[in-house]
Amino acid sequence: MTNFKKWLALALALVLCIGVLAGCGPTPTPTDPPTNPPTNPPTNPPTNPPTNPPTDPTDPPSAYSEAPYITALGIYGKVEDRLPVEEDIFVENADYLTVGVYGGELRRAADGGNWSNGKPIEEGLFRFTTQGTVEPNVAKSYDVNEDYTVYTIHLREGMKWSDGQPFTAEDCVWFYNKVCLNKIDSKGVRNCHKAGGENAVVEKVDDVTFTVTFAAPKYDFIEALTVDLKWHYAPKHVFEAFVDAAIAGDDATALAEAKKISGRDYKDAADAGKKLLYYFWNEPGVPTLNPYVLSTEEGKNNVKGEYYEYIRNPYYWKVDTAGQQLPYIDKIVGITVSNVDQQLMLLLGNHVDFFTPAADEISTILEAETPFDIYEWTKDKWGEAGTQIHFNLAIADPNLNALFNNPAFREAVSIAVDREEFVGIYSGGWLKPGQAAPGKGQLGYSEEWTNKWTEYDVNKAKTLLESCGLVMGDDGFYNFADGTDFVLTITSVADSGAAETFKVLEPYYRAAGIKAVFKDAERSIIDNDLLAGTIECMLLPVTPIGDVSIVLKPNSMVPGYATNIAWYGSMTKETATGDLLKLIELKEQLDKTGDPAERESIALQMLALHEQNQWTIAYAQSDVFYLATNPRIRNVLVDGVFSDLYRDLGIAHCHCWYIQE
């Protein structure tokens, strides 16, 4: 089902889109929700588009209804009073959606991860459509002045937080000026709010309007905002006392205020700020604009526990084309497991409704007694992430620094591995040999790049290593010219599977005269070591290289945009040299360019530097992303693009999923 023409359109749209969004588009008239189960439920895999896609007239639904779950509670009043004013209600009308029915639980296996719960339910000011363009979401629209220095954001009048309190521009302005500028959420001011070497100025105009003013033109602010900051808001009425105390350095008061919000204890104010204002969906008691909110009920409110629930937001601000307040499903139930094998067994046992299997698990699912729908999405990474090798090009050790920055060394490490044999062992034949390069349909793709340095040649690898100044020792391994041992220390996150991959790679390295050792550590330790720049080389990196757009999300592809990337460590413009410095300078040039054709040209130049240098090595092409669902789950996006930029499953708009038994 992978649609490469669509994939190409997505990539180009991200490079070129800098136009002004006027609003959410027309809203369809209501249609009657289905009263009977369809007679032709999806087969395995799904092959047909919906037979009753929504129409596209301009009139909004004439009446609104709510879930019986909410009505039965009897405490929330009329649905009309909980929605924004009629002209500002968001109507979900994508052409692949059908009008759904209310009720049920969406059951999922979870690993307790910070983002696995957040991405599917996240609501930003703007969002990516399934076509790769940006549209208003929490925001209703925006305007921009002629030189792209002042953006005016218009919100939806009458929106409410999940606790029923009004959501206004004050929540957006306060979040930036208090939380971001003071780094209370641990992230601070994102790149989307920087131009001309200065932070943006964010000011309130009225309750539904605020402005973002830059010192220099910011041509891609809306798209960058959608990638970089996403929500741009927090409930001031809940967090003001905590944030004021944290800014004042009064940890005792800040911790007391934090506990009032969630009922939990935190190590210090910084820990509380990160969890409550960045990973807020994982903390009970925090009002949100999301379709689902973590339960506050004991035994159901800990995402690190064995079981938890996200329950529907009674003040959610979106409806379907029939005027039904979304979401359809009443709650998302999380069953925490410790490994992917357990997740697969839960799916096969009909205990969970969806799972993201690896390629080698598809045959098991297809052979199951219960039929499942299997969807194939395109991935955005450059080569299979589990086979990516990243060298720290900013490592302090002078011998390693010179070696890692020598393309001959990287080529040697690449061609020392028999990729045909490796992928057979690594994936059971599911993957193809390849390199860390854009996939088909992605901007910058070429067959030559995919095959660069992929021909197995151990003798040439040794010649290349010797051209780097390495000298073969009596033990059969290369040493540095000064007589010191060369040992390639490869690091990865514990329990990531990298240890097993290393066992496959190590004999190839040994045959080429490279002594390699492996060590792993918990993610928090890895993060600290990456920030300190002490990791020499990483297998299966925390953040793999590649993404939909080097323009909008350069984090893994341009120095200076993230601290958790191994191949340039903590490198900056002041410390970068050669083509790495050129890469940074091209990104700066891109940020000052408004013409779409020129922007695309610069992006291609940036990608060409990657192709020439091959800073990251991969041994297999990226596979597809598989999503297996219980056939009772409807409105699942058929051929999506799996990317962090699109918030992974977030682009599937899970609040539109419904259950049809």
Side-chain angles (χ1 to χ4, degrees):
M1 272 178 255
T2 304
N3 187 330
F4 289 124
K5 289 183 179 178
K6 174 181 176 182
W7 184 210
L8 178 59
L10 296 178
L12 291 175
L14 291 173
V15 174
L16 301 177
C17 63
I18 58 171
V20 178
L21 302 176
C24 290
T27 51
T29 54
T31 56
D32 293 329
T35 55
N36 299 306
T39 57
N40 58 337
T43 56
N44 184 1
T47 57
N48 299 312
T51 56
N52 59 331
T55 55
D56 194 25
T58 57
D59 294 332
S62 57
Y64 301 97
S65 57
E66 66 182 8
Y69 178 96
I70 296 295
T71 304
L73 294 175
I75 58 175
Y76 291 110
K78 296 180 179 179
V79 64
E80 292 86 353
D81 296 334
R82 303 196 305 272
L83 294 169
V85 298
E86 188 167 8
E87 59 269 25
D88 286 356
I89 295 173
F90 190 115
V91 181
E92 288 284 12
N93 63 351
D95 59 8
Y96 74 93
L97 297 175
T98 58
V99 174
V101 295
Y102 283 126
E105 299 178 349
L106 180 65
R107 305 163 302 173
R108 59 163 298 181
D111 57 6
N114 287 327
W115 284 104
S116 61
N117 297 312
K119 288 180 179 180
I121 62 175
E122 181 183 284
E123 297 287 4
L125 286 183
F126 299 86
R127 74 176 187 183
F128 283 103
T129 70
T130 56
Q131 299 303 312
T133 57
V134 171
E135 67 178 354
N137 192 46
V138 169
K140 180 174 66 172
S141 62
Y142 81 93
D143 304 308
V144 61
N145 66 349
E146 290 186 1
D147 66 357
Y148 289 85
T149 58
V150 181
Y151 288 78
T152 302
I153 311 295
H154 305 282
L155 303 177
R156 301 176 188 277
E157 185 176 349
M159 274 185 63
K160 296 178 176 63
W161 291 98
S162 57
D163 63 357
Q165 293 299 307
F167 165 72
T168 71
E170 183 66 24
D171 295 306
C172 301
V173 174
W174 173 85
F175 175 76
Y176 178 81
N177 288 316
K178 289 292 188 176
V179 177
C180 294
L181 289 181
N182 293 287
K183 208 174 182 179
I184 303 301
D185 65 345
S186 78
K187 299 298 177 181
V189 178
R190 282 65 157 181
N191 288 306
C192 63
H193 277 92
K194 298 178 180 180
E198 297 182 23
N199 294 332
V201 176
V202 179
E203 298 174 300
K204 179 180 175 180
V205 177
D206 55 40
D207 281 349
V208 292
T209 314
F210 68 95
T211 58
V212 182
T213 303
F214 293 95
K218 187 73 172 178
Y219 299 104
D220 63 349
F221 170 61
I222 298 300
E223 292 81 13
L225 174 67
T226 308
V227 173
D228 241 0
L229 184 54
K230 305 169 187 72
W231 39 86
H232 201 302
Y233 55 72
K236 178 182 177 181
H237 67 282
V238 171
F239 284 115
E240 186 171 24
F242 162 74
V243 170
D244 286 347
I247 292 172
D250 185 353
D251 262 30
T253 300
L255 289 172
E257 293 294 336
K259 189 166 186 176
K260 287 181 185 178
I261 297 168
S262 68
R264 293 181 176 174
D265 294 313
Y266 300 93
K267 291 187 298 184
D268 50 36
D271 179 51
K274 182 176 183 178
K275 290 176 178 175
L276 289 169
L277 284 157
Y278 189 68
Y279 297 115
F280 58 85
W281 54 86
N282 285 330
E283 301 297 304
V286 179
T288 79
L289 301 178
N290 294 343
Y292 296 96
V293 182
L294 183 63
S295 172
T296 57
E297 187 176 343
E298 196 65 33
K300 301 178 180 180
N301 64 354
N302 183 2
V303 298
K304 300 294 185 182
E306 295 181 356
Y307 175 90
Y308 57 86
E309 294 181 353
Y310 282 83
I311 57 177
R312 64 183 316 125
N313 173 5
Y315 295 92
Y316 194 53
W317 39 282
K318 294 182 179 180
V319 301
D320 66 11
T321 56
Q324 297 182 114
Q325 184 189 29
L326 295 169
Y328 293 119
I329 297 174
D330 290 330
K331 63 176 69 173
I332 299 175
V333 171
I335 304 169
T336 301
V337 297
S338 58
N339 59 61
V340 293
D341 291 337
Q342 288 178 294
Q343 293 187 39
L344 177 59
M345 295 307 297
L346 286 171
L347 178 78
L348 298 177
N350 199 30
H351 299 297
V352 300
D353 291 307
F354 69 97
F355 173 55
T356 57
D360 59 1
E361 294 170 316
I362 296 298
S363 58
T364 302
I365 296 173
L366 290 173
E367 294 166 1
E369 184 175 338
T370 302
F372 295 95
D373 291 335
I374 298 177
Y375 302 86
E376 296 181 9
W377 288 17
T378 303
K379 280 186 178 179
D380 61 355
K381 295 296 175 275
W382 292 4
E384 171 59 24
T387 74
Q388 284 187 9
I389 294 284
H390 286 214
F391 301 102
N392 183 356
L393 305 182
I395 192 73
D397 182 280
N399 282 334
L400 290 175
N401 190 294
L403 193 63
F404 293 166
N405 279 279
N406 191 330
F409 171 75
R410 299 194 296 274
E411 181 179 358
V413 173
S414 184
I415 66 174
V417 175
D418 183 340
R419 281 172 166 78
E420 290 284 354
E421 186 176 69
F422 169 79
V423 296
I425 300 171
Y426 176 82
S427 70
W430 282 92
L431 297 178
K432 296 179 180 179
Q435 185 57 273
K440 285 185 178 180
Q442 287 182 264
L443 193 68
Y445 167 79
S446 71
E447 187 175 349
E448 292 78 13
W449 191 354
T450 301
N451 294 320
K452 181 175 182 178
W453 296 349
T454 60
E455 186 175 349
Y456 176 53
D457 192 334
V458 68
N459 290 325
K460 183 180 178 181
K462 289 182 176 180
T463 300
L464 289 168
L465 292 172
E466 289 165 7
S467 75
C468 298
L470 295 176
V471 179
M472 179 64 74
D474 294 337
D475 58 358
F477 292 107
Y478 283 105
N479 300 319
F480 291 110
D482 62 8
T484 57
D485 291 341
F486 165 48
V487 179
L488 182 63
T489 302
I490 298 177
T491 304
S492 193
V493 177
D495 300 322
S496 65
E500 296 303 313
T501 304
F502 175 78
K503 290 178 182 177
V504 181
L505 289 174
E506 193 275 335
Y508 295 117
Y509 295 156
R510 188 187 333 129
I514 300 172
K515 181 183 290 185
V517 298
F518 179 83
K519 68 176 184 179
D520 55 17
E522 295 302 315
R523 170 64 189 272
S524 60
I525 296 174
I526 295 289
D527 283 342
N528 290 335
D529 289 347
L530 284 170
L531 186 62
T534 57
I535 288 179
E536 297 177 8
C537 176
M538 195 162 190
L539 172 64
L540 206 173
V542 169
T543 301
I545 194 171
D547 218 310
V548 174
S549 172
I550 195 172
V551 177
L552 292 180
K553 194 168 185 183
N555 299 42
S556 67
M557 295 171 274
V558 181
Y561 284 84
T563 57
N564 58 353
I565 311 299
W567 64 264
Y568 52 71
S570 55
M571 188 178 291
T572 64
K573 185 177 180 180
E574 289 68 36
T575 59
T577 59
D579 282 351
L580 284 166
L581 178 58
K582 290 181 184 177
L583 192 61
I584 296 172
E585 291 172 342
L586 281 170
K587 181 60 171 72
E588 291 178 342
Q589 182 182 344
L590 180 75
D591 292 340
K592 300 174 183 177
T593 303
D595 180 77
E598 290 182 23
R599 289 173 64 81
E600 182 179 353
S601 174
I602 295 169
L604 289 171
Q605 292 177 58
M606 295 167 70
L607 292 167
L609 289 176
H610 275 276
E611 182 177 3
Q612 293 163 20
N613 288 279
Q614 202 65 60
W615 287 300
T616 293
I617 304 299
Y619 296 109
Q621 295 182 37
S622 181
D623 63 347
V624 298
F625 170 78
Y626 293 101
L627 174 62
T629 68
N630 189 309
R632 73 185 195 133
I633 305 301
R634 305 301 176 87
N635 275 348
V636 180
L637 180 63
V638 173
D639 60 345
V641 177
F642 190 78
S643 168
D644 178 68
L645 189 147
Y646 292 153
R647 314 312 293 142
D648 298 347
L649 283 179
I651 201 172
H653 303 160
C654 299
H655 56 278
C656 296
W657 290 7
Y658 67 94
I659 295 171
Q660 190 81 71
E661 299 290 359

